[in-house]
Amino acid sequence: MPISIEKQNIERRRKLLKCSLDLFIEKGYFNTAIRDIIARAEIGTGTFYNYFIDKEDILKTLLEDFAEQIISSISEYYTVEKDLYERFIETKRLTMEVFAQNEALSELYSRVAGASDPIDQSLQQFENRLIGFYSRNIEYGIKKGVFKNIPVSPIAHSILAVEKFLLYKWVVLRVISKKEMIQMVVSFHETLAAGLLAND
Amino acid sequence: MPISIEKQNIERRRKLLKCSLDLFIEKGYFNTAIRDIIARAEIGTGTFYNYFIDKEDILKTLLEDFAEQIISSISEYYTVEKDLYERFIETKRLTMEVFAQNEALSELYSRVAGASDPIDQSLQQFENRLIGFYSRNIEYGIKKGVFKNIPVSPIAHSILAVEKFLLYKWVVLRVISKKEMIQMVVSFHETLAAGLLAND
């Protein structure tokens, strides 16, 4: 039975992304050339350019898909948990578990910052997606009267900042374990949530 | 009048650090070779190695001196302000002002993470110095009964994480101004402090 073209396209794209990520971790992002990716994926050069413009485009796509995965995990959890304090804490545990389960992507995210403008653009898109999502959730808590009416953007940024920093300590520096990383992120958010909660 | 050898040594070391930092910003850390530093500083090759082992040693020294500067600014402020809540907030403003006044060092700090093991070792030393200092200040607040008895390490890490992330948004991405960076750091710490304060 012939595979449909659409299915083949999806498979090829997935394979290209998978081979790229493997190479980025093995050789480093900067030491990986597009010809390495093409060789690993066993496709023609022309085929590669049907899917991606350049290496930065792959990075951007990997991070976009990753942000999507994090946000849908949290959104799914929202359908089962309605208490806003519980949500605020437990979604951070969940986020760190998604990071931990995707170790290669987490390492890539933690290693490439600051290296060049196109890379920083991709990172910023990824981070803005998460910060935007975090902001809307805090705004919802304020609207419901559960959280104080504080400036939202600094808090949304701080959530990602703490997640990112402790992820880096685990996945790059290897000075804390996965479990310690998750515990520290959760502990911080418990203190922060106490400052966020409206006092009535 | 002849310059004393000690004074000449201090001057040369300072000049080498200054030329290195300038080159790291102009050409990037990775594109700067020791011969570039030697040429810019107008010294002999042998002289360079009297002061530093390699390029990583310069980075390490620059970051050590920077941590020293941040910590002494905060310590000096402690002699004039005794209220622990005020201290908690205002020292963050002060820290960000020190970062802002040392734009080249801040950019170097924000750009080099994750690139190689020796670099990450130097960064970690810098960050551990600050995290240790932040931890002792929170512990003091707990001992005095002003702060709740919460786990200190996640909070100390979160302070540096937020400072680092907003610094990166200013000095690398240039998507927020210096003023916005300081305001966001302060606003976050106001909410966090509300969660830290003991309720009696």
Side-chain angles (χ1 to χ4, degrees):
Chain A
M1 206 174 76
I3 305 163
S4 76
I5 290 176
E6 200 193 344
K7 204 172 161 186
Q8 196 189 8
N9 282 344
I10 292 171
E11 266 315 305
R12 273 212 186 126
R13 184 180 176 279
R14 189 178 297 156
K15 195 179 179 186
L16 275 170
L17 289 172
K18 167 92 178 62
C19 293
S20 302
L21 183 58
D22 290 347
L23 284 163
F24 293 163
I25 297 304
E26 285 166 33
K27 295 167 67 95
Y29 178 79
F30 304 104
N31 299 323
T32 301
I34 288 180
R35 64 175 176 280
D36 301 324
I37 299 169
I38 288 167
R40 177 74 60 100
E42 296 172 321
I43 54 155
T45 306
T47 310
F48 176 89
Y49 293 100
N50 288 338
Y51 294 87
F52 300 102
I53 304 161
D54 51 21
K55 204 168 69 170
E56 275 77 35
D57 194 25
I58 293 190
L59 177 66
K60 208 178 117 189
T61 308
L62 284 168
L63 289 174
E64 268 171 13
D65 291 358
F66 195 22
E68 196 52 49
Q69 195 189 337
I70 295 169
I71 290 173
S72 47
S73 298
I74 299 177
S75 303
E76 203 175 304
Y77 173 79
Y78 280 173
T79 61
V80 294
E81 177 59 65
K82 296 297 171 197
D83 181 84
L84 293 189
Y85 174 82
E86 281 299 315
R87 273 189 180 187
F88 187 77
I89 307 298
E90 290 307 315
T91 50
K92 306 317 174 281
R93 188 191 307 279
L94 195 61
T95 305
M96 296 322 286
E97 276 164 4
V98 177
F99 275 122
Q101 281 153 18
N102 293 274
E103 194 168 332
L105 271 168
S106 293
E107 187 173 345
L108 182 65
Y109 168 50
S110 296
R111 281 199 187 272
V112 294
S116 82
D117 283 352
I119 292 173
D120 282 320
Q121 293 306 319
S122 300
L123 281 187
Q124 219 189 322
Q125 249 179 39
F126 171 74
E127 296 184 336
N128 285 349
R129 184 91 201 280
L130 293 178
I131 290 169
F133 182 70
Y134 297 166
S135 294
R136 285 189 298 281
N137 292 322
I138 300 165
E139 278 158 10
Y140 181 78
I142 294 173
K143 214 181 108 196
K144 289 282 166 188
V146 178
F147 294 155
K148 281 178 205 153
N149 193 9
I150 39 87
V152 170
S153 180
I155 302 301
H157 278 80
S158 79
I159 294 170
L160 183 65
V162 173
E163 291 175 344
K164 184 180 185 174
F165 188 59
L166 291 166
L167 186 67
Y168 166 77
K169 293 213 104 171
W170 168 61
V171 84
V172 175
L173 299 180
R174 299 279 173 196
V175 289
I176 55 173
S177 68
K178 199 186 286 190
K179 204 179 148 194
E180 284 168 325
M181 168 182 80
I182 297 174
Q183 275 172 345
M184 286 176 81
V185 168
V186 168
S187 173
F188 158 72
H189 282 93
E190 283 168 351
T191 305
L192 181 63
L196 269 176
L197 286 176
N199 294 324
D200 51 61
Chain B
M1 206 174 74
I3 305 163
S4 76
I5 289 176
E6 200 193 345
K7 204 173 162 186
Q8 196 190 9
N9 283 344
I10 292 172
E11 267 314 306
R12 272 213 187 127
R13 185 180 175 279
R14 189 178 298 155
K15 194 178 179 187
L16 274 170
L17 290 172
K18 166 92 178 62
C19 293
S20 302
L21 182 57
D22 289 347
L23 284 162
F24 293 163
I25 297 304
E26 284 166 35
K27 296 167 66 96
Y29 178 79
F30 304 104
N31 299 323
T32 302
I34 289 181
R35 65 175 176 280
D36 300 326
I37 299 168
I38 288 167
R40 176 74 59 102
E42 296 173 321
I43 54 155
T45 306
T47 310
F48 176 89
Y49 292 101
N50 288 337
Y51 294 88
F52 300 102
I53 304 161
D54 51 22
K55 203 168 70 169
E56 275 76 36
D57 194 26
I58 293 189
L59 177 66
K60 209 178 116 192
T61 308
L62 283 168
L63 289 175
E64 268 171 12
D65 292 357
F66 195 22
E68 196 52 50
Q69 194 189 339
I70 294 169
I71 290 173
S72 46
S73 297
I74 299 177
S75 303
E76 202 174 305
Y77 172 80
Y78 280 174
T79 62
V80 294
E81 177 59 64
K82 296 296 171 197
D83 181 83
L84 293 189
Y85 174 82
E86 280 299 315
R87 272 188 179 188
F88 188 78
I89 307 299
E90 290 306 315
T91 50
K92 307 317 175 279
R93 188 192 306 278
L94 196 61
T95 305
M96 297 321 287
E97 276 163 4
V98 177
F99 275 122
Q101 280 154 17
N102 292 274
E103 194 168 330
L105 271 168
S106 293
E107 187 172 345
L108 181 65
Y109 167 52
S110 296
R111 281 198 187 272
V112 293
S116 83
D117 283 352
I119 292 173
D120 281 321
Q121 293 306 319
S122 299
L123 280 188
Q124 219 189 320
Q125 249 178 39
F126 171 74
E127 295 183 337
N128 285 348
R129 184 89 204 278
L130 293 178
I131 290 169
F133 182 71
Y134 296 167
S135 294
R136 287 189 296 281
N137 291 321
I138 301 164
E139 278 158 11
Y140 180 79
I142 294 173
K143 215 180 108 196
K144 290 280 166 190
V146 178
F147 294 154
K148 282 178 204 153
N149 193 8
I150 39 87
V152 170
S153 180
I155 303 300
H157 277 81
S158 79
I159 294 170
L160 184 65
V162 173
E163 291 174 345
K164 184 180 185 174
F165 188 59
L166 292 166
L167 186 67
Y168 166 77
K169 294 213 103 171
W170 168 60
V171 84
V172 175
L173 299 181
R174 299 279 172 194
V175 289
I176 55 173
S177 68
K178 198 186 288 191
K179 203 179 149 194
E180 284 168 324
M181 168 182 81
I182 297 174
Q183 275 173 344
M184 286 176 81
V185 168
V186 168
S187 173
F188 158 71
H189 282 93
E190 284 168 349
T191 305
L192 181 63
L196 269 178
L197 286 175
N199 294 323
D200 50 59

